[in-house]
Amino acid sequence: MSGPKEDEPVPIPIEDFLDLHFFSPKEINPLIDEYLFQCQEKGFHRVRLIHGRGTGSLRRMVRHHLSKDSRVLEIKDAAPEAGGWGATLVYLKPKSST
């Protein structure tokens, strides 16, 4: 028996948050697209993307990408106890609205 090949997709459980620390910058935009699609399919109205505080470059990249997504109603910083400016809350339109 062999393990998964390096280029095979790895299934990710769909929850109301996604920690982006484990992904390379080139994976982020397609990952967000697929994640939001799956969240909308599951009927989630609000999700949290955890990008960390760091220099803010990942936060800017994530928010720029979200600003162009027709499924997104609103984006804002998470509450301090949920990551503050190290996480972005994304409010999604209902599935039938896109």
Side-chain angles (χ1 to χ4, degrees), residues 40-84:
Q40 206 173 41
E41 288 291 307
K42 286 188 168 275
F44 293 167
H45 299 289
R46 184 183 75 183
V47 296
R48 184 169 48 114
L49 298 177
I50 303 166
H51 42 68
R53 295 179 183 168
T55 64
S57 61
L58 183 55
R59 177 182 185 268
R60 285 188 298 277
M61 185 176 93
V62 165
R63 288 188 172 207
H64 176 74
H65 188 72
L66 291 170
S67 72
K68 299 185 294 181
D69 194 311
S70 64
R71 296 170 291 204
V72 175
L73 279 173
E74 182 181 3
I75 56 176
K76 59 185 182 178
D77 288 342
E81 63 276 6

Side-chain angles (χ1 to χ4, degrees), residues 29-40:
N29 289 344
L31 176 67
I32 289 172
D33 289 340
E34 181 61 23
Y35 174 70
L36 293 182
F37 172 78
Q38 295 297 329
C39 286
Q40 206 173 41

Side-chain angles (χ1 to χ4, degrees), residues 10-19 23 35 38-39 42 44:
V10 176
I12 299 171
I14 303 301
E15 301 177 88
D16 64 351
F17 68 93
L18 178 62
D19 190 340
F23 301 94
Y35 174 70
Q38 295 297 329
C39 286
K42 286 188 168 275
F44 293 167

